[in-house]
Amino acid sequence: MNCFHKHPTRCSWRQNAHFLLHLKLRLKYYSTQMSQASILQKIRDVKPLHQAHAHIIVSNLSENVFLCNRLMNAYASCGLVSKAQIIFSQIPNKNLVSWTILLSGLTKNGRFFEAVEVFYGMMVLQIRPNEITIASVLPAFGKLGRVLLGKSVHCYWIRCNFGDNVFVETGLIDMYSKFGCMRIARNVFDNMSVRNVVSWNAIISGYSDNGYGEEALRMFNLMKRKGMSGDIFTVMSLISLEDFRVGSGIHGLIVRSGYENDPLIRTALMGLYINGNFVNDAYRIFEEINKKDLVAWTSMLRGFSRSGNWRRTIEHFNKMMGENMIDYVSLITMLSGCSCSGALQQGRRMHALVLKTGFQDDLFVGSAVIDMYANCASMIDAKRYFGGMVERDAACWNALISGYGMIGCGNEAIVTFLKMKDSGLSPDESTLVSVLCACSHAGLVEQGLRIFDQMTKVWNLIPNLKHYACVVDLLGRSGRIYDAYLLTKRMHLKPGLEIYSSLLTACKIHRNFELGDEISRELIELKPNDAGHYILLSNMHALAGNWDCARMSRISLKSSNLKKNPGLSSMEINGEMFTFMASQTDHPHYLEIRDFLEGLILKIKAAGYEPDTDSVLLDVSDDVKRDILFHHSEKLAIAFGLMRTKPGAVVRITKNLRICDDCHLASKFVSKVCARVLVIKDAKRFHVFRDGVCSCRDWW
DNA sequence: TTAGGGTTAG
């Protein structure tokens, strides 16, 4: 039996035009407030609405609160919430309904900050909200993470003893789910006397969004047993469930639900394939969507960009421009793509497009531009854009701080952090991550510890696992492995992957093989499907000279059928992206790169470079080790960059993994011998090689 | 009252 029902269709323009005709006729014969108001309620299109508004002004009814409320509602429903705000400001005798309509208009149009401001305005004027006001404002608290405000409104609602209200209760479930408080959300759900499909959807998507897949499925099955039909929202919340995909198969559910051809469902499925790195499957679905909207186009853009296919990313973006499918989200997606691949030239074009399209004052776009420049090691541009912004939020500051961190300017990062506090803006969880990372990259241990202490004690910020991972990294890198280890035992959270990874890296740097071995085993137990841990364990044994153990780790990796992420270096030349993989002899430019590289190695050897064969953690002869070293992806990229760019030009390379000791050493010599600046971004930070010295001062 | 694309870290 099909347990899904279709969602209602929206009013068409034709229907609206029909209402307009009736509006005129009715106004002519019954010029009562009631008839105009009831018509306003049905208008869902801009054109007839403007005409109705004009008619109300002409009829001298613009001070009528009842009509104005309806007009505001109609404007807000068409997405013209600014119009509703103007009308609201002009109503002489606003009532609770006026406030509530404004609030719900703002939340429905995603303007949550303003909604909360309006709510505060009501509090100041001592206007007591009713159930509808509360239900309207709850989504804003949820979306903005205003936990205290949300909880106090919940208390107010209980105190007022309004009684059961499915709208408020469902809003509370949604809000607490967004806060990540699933226990409270479930408590509200369990105490409801009446539940509708929205309430069930709220609790299912709450569990699903918070990573409790099994519980989400359990609730879905319970919902079916209770005889409740699901709808498109139910399917949406189940689509992203890993358990569900693995178990019953998502396609079966979609076909049974009858939403197979729904563009929204298809876009959600695209996202699923993109996240699983199946870009071609996502593209197949994308092509099948008849009316592709902005979201579908942008989702596909993310897919191409994420898969590293730069040529298709650019082609797709150009098509979007041709189809007039560009908005601030697509710009952010493209900026983020440039940021990940270090594509500075394309990034500059995006910056120009931001100015051309008029999104330069948008905070989200702004932080994405700053992040792009920061990830292309162009802090001058990042700072200039930041300086020119009319308004800045925490994300903009954080992008700047982490930019300084990545390039190794720890002091600049701390100064920016202090300026952020002086500006009156509260640092958030990400600020602490950014500033701690910056301290870690620059080796500023004491400063980092002081900031962590201050943020947690003075600012009352509850440290999460990421923060602890940063502190463990900070201590571990500086050699205080035992302190880092003690912290993991003392903290109030159970150590996760990030913590153990940081500890393990520290063990590798400082050759603490005993603890390293213990941590590796913890890591493998925690996430057995990650090839990286086996590699680290093997490398650790190799460093200690335990070749048998190293081999055993590699064998267990092989037998588990896990594949290591291959090391890739990429670089942008004249807007085109070139990618190199270690020992890739089938690269179209392999022969010329090899010849150039041989000459380059001879030159740097003459200047004193000695290959660091310890970087090859395999039990092979030194000759083979040298051969492997000379074919690392970074070296291939450096050679290609020197060949293809003008003398004196900066060579910029992005690597997906961390740079190895030997490539780091060789880059220093290359920068001196060839009189070139090399900017290499690895998985964590930048290395700027200039005149034989690296900006990281060999600390990474 | 609930849904598909996006920024800061990793």
Side-chain angles (χ1 to χ4, degrees):
Chain A
M1 196 185 78
N2 191 352
C3 63
F4 293 89
H5 58 69
K6 287 276 184 190
H7 59 299
T9 51
R10 290 209 179 109
C11 244
S12 71
W13 190 89
R14 196 178 289 274
Q15 283 170 302
N16 285 323
H18 183 71
F19 278 122
L20 176 68
L21 191 69
H22 274 266
L23 174 77
K24 281 186 176 167
L25 290 173
R26 284 205 195 184
L27 282 175
K28 198 169 171 186
Y29 294 107
Y30 320 95
S31 59
T32 63
Q33 295 170 20
M34 277 306 285
S35 60
Q36 291 178 54
S38 63
I39 290 159
L40 275 173
Q41 213 171 6
K42 289 167 185 164
I43 295 179
R44 287 290 178 270
D45 204 3
V46 186
K47 236 167 141 184
L49 187 55
H50 283 319
Q51 290 171 7
H53 189 181
H55 203 95
I56 286 167
I57 295 169
V58 171
S59 317
N60 227 358
L61 291 166
S62 51
E63 287 199 354
N64 182 297
V65 65
F66 186 66
L67 268 181
C68 285
N69 287 349
R70 285 283 164 90
L71 198 57
M72 277 170 63
N73 205 18
Y75 271 124
S77 306
C78 297
L80 293 176
V81 74
S82 309
K83 262 302 212 195
Q85 281 173 305
I86 295 169
I87 297 167
F88 177 80
S89 66
Q90 290 166 349
I91 304 175
N93 48 341
K94 303 169 183 61
N95 58 17
L96 180 60
V97 180
S98 323
W99 286 91
T100 305
I101 288 172
L102 180 64
L103 257 181
S104 80
L106 287 166
T107 49
K108 275 177 196 157
N109 287 281
R111 293 165 63 163
F112 305 113
F113 279 107
E114 288 157 278
V116 173
E117 288 298 310
V118 169
F119 190 73
Y120 274 129
M122 288 180 71
M123 298 298 104
V124 171
L125 296 170
Q126 296 192 325
I127 299 166
R128 293 166 66 87
N130 64 12
E131 304 100 298
I132 305 172
T133 327
I134 292 172
S136 305
V137 77
L138 289 177
F141 300 156
K143 288 266 168 41
L144 298 177
R146 304 294 294 266
V147 183
L148 286 178
L149 195 55
K151 282 185 176 173
S152 53
V153 170
H154 185 188
C155 291
Y156 168 81
W157 181 67
I158 294 170
R159 254 200 335 270
C160 290
N161 212 5
F162 282 126
D164 296 343
N165 182 304
V166 71
F167 282 69
V168 173
E169 287 160 327
T170 306
L172 286 169
I173 295 169
D174 179 57
M175 181 186 80
Y176 282 117
S177 301
K178 298 248 175 358
F179 294 162
C181 307
M182 285 315 293
R183 240 188 252 166
I184 312 180
R186 180 60 182 268
N187 194 28
V188 175
F189 181 84
D190 287 342
N191 287 316
M192 286 173 86
S193 55
V194 180
R195 300 181 192 102
N196 60 19
V197 64
V198 187
S199 327
W200 282 97
N201 289 343
I203 195 76
I204 292 172
S205 65
Y207 280 129
S208 160
D209 293 345
N210 284 290
Y212 303 107
E214 274 180 31
E215 202 53 38
L217 264 184
R218 201 170 300 134
M219 292 309 277
F220 172 61
N221 289 326
L222 186 66
M223 173 186 183
K224 282 195 294 187
R225 277 206 302 279
K226 297 258 178 192
M228 179 65 75
S229 292
D231 62 8
I232 193 163
F233 292 87
T234 328
V235 183
M236 281 291 195
S237 31
L238 293 172
I239 280 185
S240 54
L241 284 186
E242 208 164 301
D243 300 351
F244 198 79
R245 288 206 309 274
V246 176
S248 347
I250 190 65
H251 271 107
L253 170 86
I254 295 172
V255 173
R256 275 198 310 280
S257 68
Y259 294 119
E260 209 178 351
N261 297 322
D262 191 288
L264 258 76
I265 293 285
R266 288 200 165 167
T267 316
L269 263 180
M270 276 172 65
L272 200 68
Y273 282 120
I274 288 166
N275 290 337
N277 291 325
F278 301 107
V279 197
N280 291 332
D281 292 299
Y283 188 63
R284 199 172 31 78
I285 299 173
F286 173 74
E287 284 200 298
E288 283 169 2
I289 300 175
N290 282 332
K291 280 192 173 176
K292 301 170 180 66
D293 66 2
L294 248 170
V295 180
W297 277 97
T298 313
S299 186
M300 202 57 243
L301 182 71
R302 182 179 145 255
F304 287 136
S305 155
R306 198 175 176 274
S307 71
N309 193 331
W310 198 243
R311 189 182 51 80
R312 289 193 83 178
T313 309
I314 306 280
E315 274 174 16
H316 188 79
F317 188 74
N318 288 340
K319 272 190 205 163
M320 288 175 75
M321 298 260 281
E323 297 274 339
N324 215 6
M325 283 287 178
I326 300 291
D327 72 345
Y328 73 106
V329 180
S330 48
L331 282 173
I332 291 167
T333 309
M334 200 57 198
L335 281 163
S336 160
C338 295
S339 163
C340 291
S341 24
L344 181 60
Q345 294 160 26
Q346 191 63 40
R348 285 198 198 285
R349 267 176 228 134
M350 286 302 116
H351 179 181
L353 196 58
V354 166
L355 301 178
K356 199 176 158 193
T357 45
F359 284 111
Q360 66 272 24
D361 292 332
D362 184 279
L363 287 171
F364 277 61
V365 174
S367 50
V369 174
I370 298 165
D371 169 66
M372 179 275 293
Y373 279 127
N375 272 290
C376 292
S378 196
M379 286 311 289
I380 295 173
D381 291 298
K383 206 178 163 187
R384 191 181 298 137
Y385 191 92
F386 181 85
M389 291 181 83
V390 282
E391 198 191 340
R392 302 165 190 110
D393 65 0
C396 299
W397 285 93
N398 297 348
L400 199 65
I401 294 169
S402 63
Y404 282 126
M406 279 188 293
I407 205 140
C409 301
N411 285 319
E412 282 290 341
I414 294 175
V415 168
T416 312
F417 167 70
L418 296 174
K419 279 187 191 163
M420 176 187 185
K421 288 205 297 182
D422 287 344
S423 77
L425 209 68
S426 303
D428 63 11
E429 291 178 350
S430 298
T431 318
L432 185 55
V433 176
S434 306
V435 77
L436 287 175
C437 278
C439 291
S440 186
H441 290 325
L444 303 172
V445 186
E446 292 309 321
Q447 290 92 323
L449 291 176
R450 214 173 303 132
I451 290 171
F452 178 75
D453 209 44
Q454 189 193 30
M455 288 284 281
T456 48
K457 287 186 183 145
V458 183
W459 288 79
N460 271 337
L461 198 139
I462 300 163
N464 59 30
L465 276 176
K466 279 178 198 163
H467 300 136
Y468 282 119
C470 289
V471 181
V472 166
D473 194 61
L474 191 71
L475 289 166
R477 258 174 218 286
S478 68
R480 290 165 63 177
I481 302 182
Y482 190 65
D483 288 340
Y485 184 71
L486 274 185
L487 178 72
T488 64
K489 297 285 167 201
R490 270 205 326 259
M491 62 190 203
H492 66 282
L493 297 165
K494 201 172 166 246
L497 281 174
E498 304 102 321
I499 305 269
Y500 285 129
S501 302
S502 297
L503 261 182
L504 189 56
T505 308
C507 291
K508 189 175 163 255
I509 295 172
H510 298 285
R511 309 284 202 265
N512 189 333
F513 303 122
E514 204 178 316
L515 184 61
D517 193 72
E518 187 190 322
I519 308 284
S520 301
R521 286 170 206 292
E522 296 262 16
L523 266 171
I524 291 170
E525 198 170 304
L526 212 62
K527 200 180 175 194
N529 295 329
D530 196 317
H533 307 327
Y534 290 93
I535 300 280
L536 269 172
L537 181 62
S538 162
N539 290 355
M540 187 102 56
H541 287 308
L543 274 175
N546 298 328
W547 293 107
D548 286 342
C549 295
R551 216 170 293 122
M552 280 305 290
S553 310
R554 296 232 170 214
I555 290 170
S556 31
L557 173 67
K558 247 187 186 164
S559 62
S560 60
N561 271 336
L562 294 173
K563 283 217 169 123
K564 176 188 173 274
N565 238 355
L568 298 172
S569 291
S570 55
M571 67 193 314
E572 185 195 37
I573 296 176
N574 296 330
E576 201 181 334
M577 196 61 83
F578 296 89
T579 305
F580 305 89
M581 206 196 298
S583 308
Q584 190 188 3
T585 48
D586 59 350
H587 194 281
H589 305 283
Y590 175 69
L591 288 178
E592 50 172 333
I593 293 173
R594 190 196 58 188
D595 291 346
F596 187 91
L597 197 55
E598 275 175 8
L600 186 66
I601 301 279
L602 285 177
K603 270 194 214 168
I604 58 172
K605 271 188 175 172
Y609 160 71
E610 272 294 325
D612 176 12
T613 42
D614 278 355
S615 293
V616 181
L617 301 165
L618 292 171
D619 192 12
V620 287
S621 74
D622 273 5
D623 279 348
V624 179
K625 280 186 179 177
R626 260 179 233 123
D627 199 50
I628 293 172
L629 280 180
F630 297 159
H631 285 85
H632 271 183
S633 66
E634 296 96 314
K635 292 201 185 74
L636 302 177
I638 291 172
F640 191 72
L642 291 173
M643 281 160 58
R644 289 295 174 94
T645 54
K646 288 180 192 155
V650 176
V651 174
R652 293 168 185 276
I653 295 164
T654 302
K655 197 190 172 193
N656 63 340
L657 307 174
R658 297 229 71 180
I659 189 170
C660 83
D661 289 320
D662 184 67
C663 285
H664 195 265
L665 182 69
S667 303
K668 287 199 278 189
F669 278 98
V670 170
S671 72
K672 193 171 174 80
V673 170
C674 303
R676 289 277 202 126
V677 175
L678 306 178
V679 179
I680 303 184
K681 187 186 157 200
D682 72 10
K684 294 226 170 174
R685 60 165 299 161
F686 281 105
H687 302 267
V688 182
F689 301 95
R690 189 181 277 120
D691 204 23
V693 181
C694 179
S695 62
C696 77
R697 296 187 295 276
D698 303 335
W699 174 273
W700 84 91

